[in-house]
Amino acid sequence: MLRFYNTLTRKKEVFTPLDGNTVRMYSCGPTVYNYAHIGNLRTYIFMDLIRRTLHFEGYKIKGVMNITDVGHLMADSDDGEDKMAVAAREQRLSPWEIAEKYTKVFFEDLRKLNIGVPEIIAKATDHIPEMIAYVRALEEAGFSYETSDGIYFDIAKFPRYGCLSGANLDDQLAGARVEVNSEKHHPADFALWKKADPRHIMQWDSPWGRGYPGWHIECSAMSKKYLGETFDIHSGGVDHIPIHHENEIAQNEAITGKQSVRFWMHGEFMLVDGGKMSKSLGNTYTISELEKRGYHPLDFRFFCLNTHYRKKLNFTFEGLDAAKISRQRLNAQLKEHAQAPNITPREKLDNYRASFKAAVEDDMNVPLALGVLFTAIKEPKSKDIFELATEFDAVFGLDLSGAALPEKEAEEPVPENILALSEERIAAKKAKNYALADELRNKITELGYSVVDVPGGVKLKKL
Ligand code: AMP
Ligand code: ZN
């Protein structure tokens, strides 16, 4: 029986979908103004584990992920500069180009890490009318008020505010910083729609004049559109619990009065060298940077799988080295198993299967499930152990079946047209025409190859 930890009830609960065999799931996606760092990617690996676990249990999934390509401000608050606008200014690109560039890189990262893409990818800028309609509905039902700079959700009208994080409003009031916006009724009231300064770079017509949506309304409008008023799972990083997801609940449930999300699931943070990841400390690595240092993206995936998703994970290069070596050993052993005749007693295989399933069903205890695999590969060499590993790999996503491939098959020659594009890209980079270089990289990716800059050249790899 599959059990997931539900942030809302603070306990593990038996999971079955509301609607027969299909699980409806919403996952908060990236704000596409920068490369995803390894912390972000840990969260997307966690979301992928949910998908793989559900598939392993025989469920179908209707998954939705948003791509925030607008109006997400520097902090969780409603003030400060738009992240997209800052990136656009710094890189001398339009916000649309910034969004396109980083969306492509995001999907490239997902592919490298064997992260399944949700069935529906919803861009915020494609859903402005839905968001406006949502804000209108909240307004008509009396849950909002207008100030000189926007439309705000009135949390005093939603007494359950704080139910997810367990924070009460008085605590929030005491902890709130000095308010910049004195027109707000309560410091935790949040913007549903912001009125745009004429210089604001992305803006749309609305019943309240030109403006742009608040961040939280995006997820409420899209989840309702694709998954309905009540759906099974909502996932995200733990940082989203106290503000973003509380605000989503308020928006979702104010009018309907119904529970909108049955299971809230949150992935813990990744730390680097025991501390916070931040650009100023220079410790926000990307997957391409790890590749440049000689790691395979799946070394990172394997590193993540060794810690339960609800525990903090401290990233160090020593840890990644250990994961790399351990993965190499695993693949080498599986290769030997793959080449041996079947000799493992059936009962043993079934026992391993049962232990694996029990681990996965216990709130995705993947470290324990990996332990089952590591015990199994100690059995005398036998092809059925290799097959067992590939069965388990439906959850791990470590390309374990590839372990049996002869080296040569894995390395096909790179086609001429890809090589030519790569040459063009190198020339563009030399000429410091980075926009063209990025465009060429995207073309190469579209044609099914990844481009990795390595010391003294470029590595092209089939995706
Ligand atoms: P953002 O693009 O900033 O909205 O972040 C994308 C996702 O990464 C969100 O779901 C965050 O919860 C998550 N995230 C941000 N920093 C970390 C971290 N250090 N460890 C794990 N997840 C993170
Ligand atoms: Zn969200």
Side-chain angles (χ1 to χ4, degrees):
M1 227 173 4
L2 177 60
R3 294 184 327 143
F4 283 143
Y5 181 86
N6 188 349
T7 309
L8 193 62
T9 56
R10 293 170 191 81
K11 53 179 196 271
K12 288 184 201 170
E13 293 179 79
V14 173
F15 177 84
T16 48
L18 198 58
D19 191 13
N21 201 42
T22 301
V23 178
R24 283 173 292 153
M25 172 158 100
Y26 187 91
S27 307
C28 287
T31 307
V32 281
Y33 70 104
N34 204 341
Y35 297 101
H37 61 58
I38 51 176
N40 304 138
L41 294 169
R42 179 189 189 201
T43 292
Y44 300 118
I45 290 174
F46 148 66
M47 292 169 177
D48 180 55
L49 284 179
I50 305 179
R51 290 180 58 82
R52 286 172 176 274
T53 299
L54 293 169
H55 280 148
F56 177 74
E57 293 286 313
Y59 294 123
K60 289 205 177 85
I61 303 172
K62 182 172 184 190
V64 180
M65 181 181 271
N66 61 305
I67 300 283
T68 303
D69 54 355
V70 55
H72 181 172
L73 306 180
M74 291 315 279
D76 271 335
S77 75
D78 300 311
D79 309 306
E81 223 180 333
D82 184 315
K83 287 176 178 176
M84 300 289 299
V86 174
R89 191 181 62 230
E90 283 172 2
Q91 299 189 37
R92 295 168 186 274
L93 293 171
S94 75
W96 310 94
E97 288 166 328
I98 289 287
E100 200 186 328
K101 169 176 166 179
Y102 291 110
T103 303
K104 284 211 167 131
V105 179
F106 174 67
F107 285 112
E108 206 179 313
D109 286 350
L110 297 193
R111 237 185 344 253
K112 285 179 186 173
L113 289 165
N114 276 347
I115 297 173
V117 177
E119 287 64 25
I120 297 168
I121 297 293
K123 272 169 42 179
T125 49
D126 289 340
H127 295 79
I128 302 291
E130 285 88 342
M131 294 187 226
I132 290 175
Y134 208 117
V135 179
R136 284 285 291 156
L138 286 169
E139 191 175 43
E140 276 162 18
F143 288 100
S144 67
Y145 58 88
E146 186 165 356
T147 70
S148 57
D149 75 346
I151 308 297
Y152 284 81
F153 188 95
D154 189 352
I155 58 167
K157 301 264 169 65
F158 187 72
R160 276 189 301 120
Y161 191 85
C163 60
L164 188 64
S165 55
N168 71 42
L169 279 183
D170 294 337
D171 290 347
Q172 295 205 349
L173 253 181
R177 64 204 162 80
V178 181
E179 263 309 302
V180 185
N181 183 345
S182 59
E183 290 178 67
K184 278 194 341 191
H185 299 175
H186 187 287
D189 288 351
F190 55 92
L192 297 164
W193 184 265
K194 291 278 280 190
K195 296 175 186 173
D197 182 287
R199 285 164 305 171
H200 195 276
I201 206 157
M202 291 173 113
Q203 46 176 284
W204 290 265
D205 281 326
S206 82
W208 315 280
R210 302 276 297 168
Y212 54 98
W215 170 36
H216 320 292
I217 199 70
E218 174 183 331
C219 292
S220 287
M222 293 185 188
S223 61
K224 182 178 161 209
K225 173 171 179 175
Y226 296 107
L227 302 175
E229 285 177 352
T230 300
F231 56 96
D232 296 303
I233 301 176
H234 192 313
S235 64
V238 285
D239 56 325
H240 286 163
I241 298 172
I243 296 174
H244 182 49
H245 290 165
E246 292 289 10
N247 293 355
E248 275 188 48
I249 290 176
Q251 292 168 154
N252 293 350
E253 301 180 8
I255 298 176
T256 66
K258 282 197 291 202
Q259 181 174 359
S260 53
V261 176
R262 299 174 60 231
F263 282 73
W264 282 93
M265 295 179 68
H266 293 97
E268 248 302 345
F269 255 38
M270 175 170 271
L271 308 173
V272 172
D273 295 324
K276 206 176 140 76
M277 243 183 261
S278 90
K279 265 206 198 137
S280 56
L281 294 171
N283 62 7
T284 57
Y285 305 105
T286 63
I287 273 298
S288 304
E289 278 161 359
L290 296 187
E291 285 179 300
K292 273 183 224 164
R293 288 172 181 243
Y295 301 97
H296 191 285
L298 293 182
D299 293 334
F300 177 70
R301 183 175 174 107
F302 184 64
F303 173 77
C304 290
L305 297 191
N306 278 285
T307 299
H308 190 262
Y309 77 88
R310 282 193 293 119
K311 290 213 174 100
K312 289 193 174 63
L313 171 56
N314 186 30
F315 177 87
T316 60
F317 279 101
E318 292 75 43
L320 189 60
D321 283 338
K324 179 179 173 172
I325 290 168
S326 175
R327 198 175 75 86
Q328 278 168 351
R329 284 209 190 113
L330 172 63
N331 281 332
Q333 302 225 30
L334 286 176
K335 192 169 181 175
E336 287 181 32
H337 280 291
Q339 287 156 0
N342 283 339
I343 56 162
T344 319
R346 200 191 161 82
E347 201 188 8
K348 260 197 176 163
L349 293 171
D350 285 345
N351 281 343
Y352 285 127
R353 280 196 186 97
S355 310
F356 175 82
K357 190 166 155 67
V360 170
E361 289 187 339
D362 182 15
D363 191 32
M364 305 200 293
N365 194 338
V366 178
L368 190 61
L370 275 173
V372 176
L373 173 64
F374 276 91
T375 309
I377 60 169
K378 290 199 195 106
E379 293 285 345
K381 295 292 174 278
S382 171
K383 186 162 187 204
D384 38 33
I385 295 289
F386 167 73
E387 280 158 4
L388 188 73
T390 60
E391 229 175 275
F392 294 176
D393 202 40
V395 174
F396 298 139
L398 291 169
D399 276 354
L400 296 182
S401 59
L405 289 178
E407 244 52 63
K408 273 186 233 107
E409 262 180 52
E411 293 231 345
E412 288 167 30
V414 179
E416 270 312 310
N417 60 331
I418 304 287
L419 289 174
L421 285 170
S422 172
E423 290 301 318
E424 256 184 76
R425 179 176 163 272
I426 292 167
K429 274 185 74 179
K430 266 199 189 134
K432 296 204 179 343
N433 187 346
Y434 297 112
L436 177 62
D438 278 329
E439 206 179 296
L440 288 161
R441 174 198 285 274
N442 291 339
K443 256 194 205 152
I444 298 173
T445 313
E446 272 166 23
L447 292 169
Y449 279 78
S450 72
V451 191
V452 182
D453 292 307
V454 290
V458 158
K459 216 168 83 192
L460 295 163
K461 239 176 50 193
K462 195 159 189 183
L463 291 166

